[in-house]
Structures are given as C-alpha cells and as structure tokens.
Amino acid sequence: MEQAALAPAVFVPSSRDRATMVVTAIAVAALAMVPWAADGGPSALLRAVNGSTALWPTLAAALVALICSLREFDRGTATAAGFAVVWTFGAALAEGAAGPSFGAGAGIALTALTVALSRAIARRGVFNGDATIATIVVVIATLLVIFIFFPVAKALLAAGFDAQGRFAPQLALQRLLTEDIWGLGCFGGGTNCGVAINSAMLATIVGVTSTLLGLVFALVVQRGGQRYAGVLKLMSILPIVTPPFVIALALVVLFGRTGIVTGWLDAWFGIPRSRWIYGLPGVTLAQLLTFSPIAFMILYGALAAISPAMEEAAQTLRASRARVFRTVTWPLLRPALANAFLLSFVESLADFGNPIVLAGNFEVLSTKIFFAVAGAQNDPGRAAALAMVLLGLTLLAFWLQQRWMGRLSYVTVTGKGDGGTPGKLPRPLWYGCFGIAGTWMFFMLVCYAIILVGGFVKDIGRGDMALTLHHFAQGFGMDFGSRGTLFVGSAWDSLFTTIEVATVSAPLTALVGLLAAYVITRHRFVGRRAFEFLTMVSFAIPGTVIGVSYIVAFNVAPLELTGGMAILVLCFVFRNMPVGVRAGVAALAQIDKSLDEASSTLRASTLRTLREIVLPLLRPAIFTTLIFSFTHAMTAVSAVIFLASAKYNLATVYVINRVEAGEYPLAIAYSTVLIFVMLGVLFGMQRLVGDARLGRRAAQPMLVTGH
C-alpha cells in the first residue's frame, strides 16, 4: 500500500491567550483616558479629535489590535500592534521639537502594544511559540534600540557631515584614516602612536593581566582553603567600590614627581625624580586596580561551579594535581576566562577617569573623544569617527572571544548528585598564586592608606600632614539645632541623589541583563547572535559619547528627559547591562539544560522555570551584577558629567568639580565616605542574595608541608 505523504507540521497555539487581550485593552484605555504628553493635558483620543491628525493611525491600529486579539486573529494583532508602535515613533520624530513629549499615556500605550506584538508573533510560531521568551527578546531589543542605537546614531551620523551641515561621506573616510588614529610611530623610533593603537595596546595588556590577577585571587580564595578567604575577598572587591580617579590620585601622591615613594627613592638611593607614572605604565596600573575585581568575581563564581566529582575522578586515575588542573579545571574555566577578558578589554577601552588623570601625552580614544566634544575643538564629526574606531575594536574582541571558546560544552552543574571536595592546587602553583596575591594586596593596602589618610590631614599632596576634620565637616557637616537635624555640608545633596539613582538602577540592570543572558544561552531563535551582539554594544561606546548622545537625542520631543532623574537611571541601566549579560552567560554555560527540560516536562511554564530553577543557581551572577551596577552608578564619571543637573547633581561630578578647584583633600574625604557607603551596601547585598547552594562539601584548608 502506498503511504500518504505527511503534511508539514504547523504550529497551533495551545489555548486562548487572555494576556494579549488584556494588554491591548490597556493600550486602548491609555490612549483614550491617560494624558498623552509629559506636561499633562488631554489624552491621545482628545488630541486627535482636536486636530492632531498624526494620532489617528495610532488610535485606529490599537483598536484593530484589540479586536483581532478578541477574535484570536494573531497575524492581525501582530501587524496592527507593530504598525501602531512604529507609526507613533516615526510621526513623533518627524514632528521633532514642535511636537509634544511622550508622557504617561504614550508610555503605557506603547509598552502594552509592544508586549501584545511579542505575544502575537509567538502564537504564530516564532520563538518556538514561547510567549515569555518572545516578550523578553522583543521588549529588551526595543529598549536597546531606543536608548542605545537611537541616541548614538545621531552622534555617529555627524561623522559624515561637514561644518555647514552638508552630507559628505568622503569626509568620514578622511576622519577615520588620519595619522593620529592609526600611526605606528612608537614602534619605529618615533615618539607616539595613534590613539587607536594606544587604546588597543592598553586594553590588551589590561585585559590579559586583570584576567590573570582575577584568576590568582579566585584560586587562592576558592581552592586555597578558608583561612584567608574573608580578607582576600574583601581586598579583591574593594577597588570596585572606589571612584577610579581617586585611585589615580593615590598613585600620583605615591609616584608622581613630588610623590612620597619618589621622594624616598631620590633621598635614599639617588634615583632621580621622573614623570614615569604619567603615561602607559600609570594608566595600566590604575586600570588593573580598578578592573581586576570584575575578573575575580566572574572567575570565583565559575570556579565554585566546577564539579568536584570530575576532579576526584581524575585523581582516582592517579593524575597528579598539576595534570588535574591542566586537563580538567583549566578547560572548564574557558567561558569565564573569555568573559573576564572581554569585559576587562572593553572596560579599559571605555575608561575615562584614569586616563584623564594619568595619561599625560599617552592619548587614548576615550579622552580624545571627550576633548573633541567638550574641548576647544567642538568637533562632533571627529568624535563620531573616533567612536566608530572604538566600536570596531570591541567587535574584534568579541569575535576573537567566540573563536577561542568554539562550540565545546562546559556543563558541570546537572541534576545528578554532585558530592566531593574541590581538588587541591599543585604546590608550585599555590606558592605562586599566594605570593602574587600577597604582593598585590600589600600594594592595594598602601594605595588605600593614602586615600584614607588624605581626608584626615590638611593637605597630603603638599606634604602637610597636620590632622584635621575640616574636610569632612565642610562636606558632611550636620546641625543638631532646635529645628531638628540639618544636613548643612555641601556634599549631602549629591550623595543622597547618587544613592537614590544607584538604588533604582541596580536591580533594573540585573533584571534586564540576566533575562537577556537566559534567552541567549537557553533558547534558539532567529537572530539570537544579533540579539547577543546588541546587548554588548553599549560597552563599546565610551561614556562621553553616551552622555553627549543622550543630550542630543533626549533634550527635545518626543523623548524629553534631560534634567531629570529618569535619564540618569536609563543611562546606567543600559550602560551597565552587559555585565549582567556576560556574568549570566558564564554561569549558565555550566548549568545543564536538563534542569530546564525536567521542569518543562512537569508542565511548568517558562516563567516558573526561570523563577524557581534557574535564578536560584544564578546567585553569584546576580550578586556580581548588583554590585557592579550599583557601584558604577555611584562612581561613573564620563557619561553623567554631561547629564547631571543642578537638581540632580551626582557624587562623581561633585568630586571632579572639587579637583578642578584644587580642593584635593575634600575630594579624597568625599571618596572615603563613598567607599564606606558602598561597602555597607555590598555586604548587605551579599546577605540578601546569598550563594548558590550546589550541595557540596566545603573545601578544606590547604596545609603546605615539606613532605
């Protein structure tokens, strides 16, 4: 008998989607009743009735989307909702400053329509029919387009326009291929290389070295026993809660031409004073102090997740400690090593605080862009060309990372029993790691001693070591009078504003970053690689360009945000989101997908699986993201120096203003207060988030004997 040909499989939605009906109804209600503009006034419906013809297509499309969702016509729902969102933004951008700024009505309606679009296309079979994954991907991608690509595109387009505003593509090519960008003079007997060569060289050195330093600290803490774990973990993460330019100031106090160490070397050994700290050595040293903790936190979590059973199996087969480390531990760390290097590399490229203090004649892209925008040049086209070069370097680093990792599997956490203790380090490696960690810790202690002492003496920069509390009283004075407690110090307003902004932005950053990491690692869909790239692009753009781009894009309708707190929060969320993505990707690479599949087999939804299975295992990644995003919001300089206002002034802007005014002791005193505030928040987050519980025995202290 001839068999009938099988018909191709067609995706059929499992049930009626009430959520899509609800969100489309919310969109229509917002358009009809909630004020459309930021300054209040009538709703979109009333504006359309009163003559705003551009809103009629939006209203009609939203109503069509609601009708289609009620009739379960998913293609119509997706088309109408997508048209409404695109038309609304396009029409508002076409009106420009003449149109109204989006308010609560526009925000609610556009958000609801975006969610309706996501769920409708999922019911059409996209994203394997998973509405939760579709919503996560579409919403995050939309936010990235609005708050990263839209503002930055305005800045990048300036590279192709001349001073008169005429489009001139050949001018963009000339700006990209200049000698001061790609010059190789420092390799051929000349004095300087181009800024692209300098930045790439600096970022490579910092990326490799900070990854190795992070690995050394992670090995000592995780595999060297618990005797020194508390101290080492504290000293490893302390630089991340320190404003970067303060570390640079400490290095100047120590090693500058009139520095403490420089003076001792001159007096005791006759070594002449020099300016060696200003340039590549000084910037490298400052960035290592700043970025090594990021590598440590990623590698510590990855090292804790490696299955001890694998190392015990190798030892059972009589493999030496060195061979176990080389053939089992090291290969399983490749995802974390690659992510640590990538983050350190990109952070070094985008760093502004350390080079502005220590670079001297060693020019890098971030400072060059700043002076092209804010300096006497006032050349946005030049800044745009430099930003394009910086983006290219980041793309190259991303591609190299993917090539090095390959397509191998690094799963070590499964649903099976996982007993055992982590393997001990080879004795030579233990001695080397402990020696390097001890030396680096001592150097860090000296730098922090300078920071802590500097706020309590009259002027440490000029050698006046007379004890005083004047600087703290000037910044953080309090008046306990009959009217109650008054914060009379000049620094209180900026401190309260900074804490408020950081507290709002940190959990949002962790949420967006880890959700993006989850869909990247756990789900296959068309455009997954492009989506992963989108989540990393914001780190490729220096903060100076982000700040200027936000001013240009969000200073006029339809998204008029400058001068308020929202623009600061949005800047921090999408600037720091890549840390959550990379930390989540590194952690999820070691957690077997069978755990998700088992949950799905028991008919748990994707949202429930994410909440009850995945997130508890991602506690180290959550902690890393919360700490990084909070501390970066507290210590960021390059972007917020453009976005801060008189009402919403931030701590770093206050400190930089004090440095520019020559009030170094007050700047150091304020930085000391910031360090202690962030340490308190850090330990509070550690207790709140906790550690991932993988059911393993704790590592035993490693006793080094002569046998």
Side-chain angles (χ1 to χ4, degrees):
M1 180 185 296
E2 185 176 321
Q3 293 182 341
L6 293 176
V10 178
F11 177 83
V12 179
S14 59
S15 61
R16 189 179 181 88
D17 186 10
R18 293 183 176 84
T20 304
M21 304 175 194
V22 171
V23 293
T24 51
I26 290 173
V28 172
L31 291 170
M33 296 183 290
V34 182
W36 176 259
D39 57 357
S43 65
L45 177 61
L46 293 178
R47 284 177 177 270
V49 171
N50 293 330
S52 297
T53 57
L55 288 174
W56 278 115
T58 302
L59 293 165
L63 186 60
V64 170
L66 175 59
I67 296 172
C68 290
S69 67
L70 293 173
R71 298 179 63 87
E72 298 187 64
F73 181 34
D74 300 314
R75 178 180 294 178
T77 303
T79 303
F83 173 81
V85 173
V86 174
W87 170 268
T88 303
F89 272 105
L93 291 175
E95 284 187 281
S101 298
F102 286 162
I108 295 171
L110 292 173
T111 302
L113 288 169
T114 303
V115 174
L117 167 65
S118 308
R119 300 187 67 88
I121 61 175
R123 287 174 59 82
R124 293 286 302 165
V126 184
F127 300 99
N128 295 321
D130 194 322
T132 300
I133 300 303
T135 303
I136 292 173
V137 173
V138 173
V139 170
I140 292 179
T142 303
L143 291 174
L144 288 171
V145 169
I146 294 174
F147 294 110
I148 294 295
F149 285 89
F150 167 63
V152 171
K154 283 198 168 185
L156 294 182
L157 286 174
F161 289 85
D162 59 20
Q164 287 72 39
R166 296 188 297 264
F167 183 62
Q170 72 281 359
L171 182 60
L173 191 62
Q174 294 175 7
R175 286 167 169 164
L176 285 172
L177 301 179
T178 57
E179 179 70 17
D180 65 338
I181 294 179
W182 302 105
L184 299 173
C186 58
F187 297 110
T191 55
N192 296 314
C193 277
V195 288
I197 305 301
N198 287 344
S199 296
M201 182 168 54
L202 172 66
T204 302
I205 295 172
V206 172
V208 172
T209 310
S210 62
T211 301
L212 292 177
L213 280 173
L215 179 61
V216 165
F217 274 94
L219 288 172
V220 170
V221 173
Q222 185 66 32
R223 298 302 173 87
Q226 302 300 312
R227 183 180 302 176
Y228 310 103
V231 176
L232 286 174
K233 287 177 72 174
L234 173 63
M235 293 305 298
S236 297
I237 61 179
L238 192 56
I240 206 171
V241 300
T242 306
F245 47 83
V246 176
I247 290 181
L249 287 175
L251 292 176
V252 170
V253 172
L254 286 170
F255 302 109
R257 187 171 177 81
T258 59
I260 298 173
V261 175
T262 305
W264 289 347
L265 293 176
D266 184 24
W268 294 352
F269 302 104
I271 299 176
R273 300 174 183 268
S274 67
R275 297 175 56 86
W276 69 269
I277 195 68
Y278 298 100
L280 177 61
V283 179
T284 301
L285 197 57
Q287 289 188 347
L288 286 177
L289 285 166
T290 305
F291 303 138
S292 294
I294 304 172
F296 162 74
M297 297 176 80
I298 292 175
L299 290 166
Y300 176 78
L303 200 60
I306 291 178
S307 173
M310 295 184 178
E311 297 175 330
E312 285 189 343
Q315 291 173 345
T316 302
L317 295 173
R318 298 185 178 181
S320 64
R321 293 181 183 178
R323 188 171 184 182
V324 171
F325 181 81
R326 186 178 67 253
T327 61
V328 178
T329 309
W330 178 262
L332 290 173
L333 284 174
R334 287 181 71 174
L337 289 168
N339 284 301
F341 171 81
L342 182 62
L343 285 175
S344 301
F345 184 92
V346 177
E347 276 285 292
S348 175
L349 285 177
D351 181 33
F352 174 80
N354 291 309
I356 199 67
V357 176
L358 291 171
N361 294 327
F362 183 80
E363 292 185 321
V364 294
L365 285 166
S366 59
T367 55
K368 194 82 169 176
I369 292 170
F370 173 77
F371 290 120
V373 174
Q377 304 175 40
N378 192 20
D379 188 354
R382 172 70 170 162
L386 293 170
M388 293 170 67
V389 174
L390 190 50
L391 178 60
L393 292 175
T394 303
L395 290 177
L396 178 62
F398 182 82
W399 178 78
L400 291 174
Q401 182 220 31
Q402 296 300 311
R403 292 275 297 179
W404 188 63
M405 286 182 61
R407 297 182 179 274
L408 301 177
S409 174
Y410 302 93
V411 170
T412 60
V413 180
T414 68
K416 302 177 182 178
D418 192 21
T421 57
K424 295 180 180 180
L425 295 178
R427 191 168 289 116
L429 180 61
W430 161 254
Y431 282 125
C433 289
F434 194 80
I436 294 173
T439 304
W440 192 252
M441 278 182 56
F442 175 76
F443 179 61
M444 290 168 58
L445 283 171
V446 172
C447 291
Y448 278 94
I450 294 295
I451 296 172
L452 294 177
V453 171
F456 292 95
V457 298
K458 191 170 183 180
D459 195 340
I460 193 171
R462 294 183 172 86
D464 190 343
M465 306 298 287
L467 294 177
T468 179
L469 293 176
H470 169 71
H471 312 305
F472 288 97
Q474 182 181 356
F476 300 97
M478 300 175 66
D479 183 7
F480 302 95
S482 58
R483 297 164 55 190
T485 303
L486 299 177
F487 298 96
V488 296
S490 60
W492 282 116
D493 288 342
S494 62
L495 179 62
F496 291 149
T497 301
T498 305
I499 293 175
E500 183 181 3
V501 171
T503 302
V504 173
S505 62
L508 292 176
T509 305
L511 176 66
V512 175
L514 293 176
L515 286 177
Y518 174 71
V519 298
I520 288 170
T521 57
R522 284 301 198 260
H523 296 272
R524 297 292 179 266
F525 51 88
V526 177
R528 185 177 66 89
R529 288 289 182 185
F531 178 74
E532 183 177 8
F533 166 72
L534 291 180
T535 62
M536 282 299 296
V537 167
S538 63
F539 250 3
I541 305 166
T544 51
V545 174
I546 290 288
V548 173
S549 300
Y550 269 43
I551 289 176
V552 172
F554 302 135
N555 195 40
V556 294
L559 294 172
E560 192 171 355
L561 300 173
T562 52
M565 192 177 80
I567 194 170
L568 297 171
V569 172
L570 291 168
C571 178
F572 287 137
V573 168
F574 294 102
R575 186 88 172 94
N576 299 328
M577 183 193 68
V579 173
V581 175
R582 301 322 302 178
V585 167
L588 285 164
Q590 296 179 318
I591 300 175
D592 197 347
K593 285 185 66 175
S594 64
L595 298 174
D596 302 36
E597 294 166 356
S599 177
S600 300
T601 302
L602 295 174
R603 298 185 178 181
S605 65
T606 300
L607 188 61
R608 186 174 182 183
T609 300
L610 180 64
R611 184 179 66 249
E612 299 184 8
I613 303 297
V614 178
L615 287 181
L617 292 172
L618 287 180
R619 283 182 173 178
I622 294 172
F623 178 61
T624 299
T625 307
L626 286 174
I627 291 301
F628 183 88
S629 56
F630 184 89
T631 54
H632 261 227
M634 293 285 290
T635 61
V637 182
S638 53
V640 297
I641 199 169
F642 297 99
L643 302 178
S645 61
K647 183 178 180 180
Y648 293 99
N649 192 23
L650 298 182
T652 50
V653 178
Y654 178 93
V655 172
I656 285 205
N657 290 336
R658 301 285 70 75
V659 171
E660 290 179 351
E663 300 176 4
Y664 294 100
L666 177 57
I668 293 176
Y670 195 166
S671 301
T672 303
V673 173
L674 285 178
I675 290 172
F676 281 103
V677 168
M678 287 185 284
L679 280 176
V681 173
L682 185 151
F683 291 123
M685 287 184 179
Q686 173 71 74
R687 291 184 62 86
L688 179 65
V689 175
D691 297 316
R693 301 182 183 275
L694 302 179
R696 298 173 183 165
R697 295 195 298 270
Q700 299 299 316
M702 179 174 179
L703 300 177
V704 180
T705 65
H707 300 288

